């Protein structure tokens, strides 16, 4: 179980890290490169996209560093809960925009974050 939680955590951290490109790439370029699934960036200001990217960078750090450094490892499941909220908000935004076909990825990542939160709060807690 511990190995599965580490793998899922690593995948989530990688997805979030790749997703931080929204901090550096102009939103018009992202919308053009990503096709229909990336049109959502046009609904947000560049500052809002940078803020979302900053939250994602903090999420990457919160998912990995507390456990690796053994400093406040309870932050891992707390961060995973926050990541679940982030992907829940992303799914809600896609529903609002009528992008039902592109919501599947957000729901998969939401499920992965819930799994990490459940596993690290419960059966494979770092503090237990």
């Amino acid at each position: 179980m511990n190995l599965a939680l580490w793998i899922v955590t690593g995948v989530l951290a990688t997805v979030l890290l790749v997703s931080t490109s929204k901090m550096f790439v102009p939103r018009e370029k992202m919308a053009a490169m990503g096709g229909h699934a990336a049109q959502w960036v046009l609904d947000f200001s560049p500052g809002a996209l940078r803020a979302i990217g900053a939250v994602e960078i903090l999420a990457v750090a919160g998912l990995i560093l507390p456990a690796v450094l053994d400093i406040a490892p309870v932050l891992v499941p707390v961060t995973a809960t926050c990541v679940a909220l982030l992907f829940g908000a992303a799914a809600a935004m896609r529903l609002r925009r009528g992008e039902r076909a592109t919501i599947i990825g957000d729901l998969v990542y939401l499920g992965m974050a819930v799994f990490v939160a459940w596993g690290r709060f419960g059966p494979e807690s770092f503090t237990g």
Side-chain angles (χ1 to χ4, degrees), residues 14-99:
T14 302
V15 166
L16 289 164
L17 191 60
V18 169
S19 180
T20 61
S21 66
K22 67 179 66 70
M23 293 178 66
F24 312 107
V25 178
R27 66 187 185 143
E28 291 78 15
K29 187 173 182 181
M30 283 181 60
M33 287 187 322
H36 182 68
Q39 295 301 307
W40 68 270
V41 298
L42 299 175
D43 287 352
F44 291 86
S45 70
L49 292 175
R50 281 192 293 278
I52 294 168
V55 166
E56 291 169 344
I57 287 175
L58 291 172
V60 170
L63 286 171
I64 303 294
L65 293 179
V68 170
L69 300 175
D70 197 27
I71 299 172
V74 72
L75 291 177
V76 174
V78 170
T79 302
T81 302
C82 294
V83 169
L85 292 173
L86 178 71
F87 281 113
M93 183 263 315
R94 293 201 188 270
L95 281 175
R96 181 183 54 83
R97 290 181 45 87
E99 299 176 354

Side-chain angles (χ1 to χ4, degrees), residues 92-111:
M93 183 263 315
R94 293 201 188 270
L95 281 175
R96 181 183 54 83
R97 290 181 45 87
E99 299 176 354
R100 284 166 177 63
T102 59
I103 197 171
I104 293 171
D106 294 327
L107 294 177
V108 168
Y109 299 135
L110 169 69

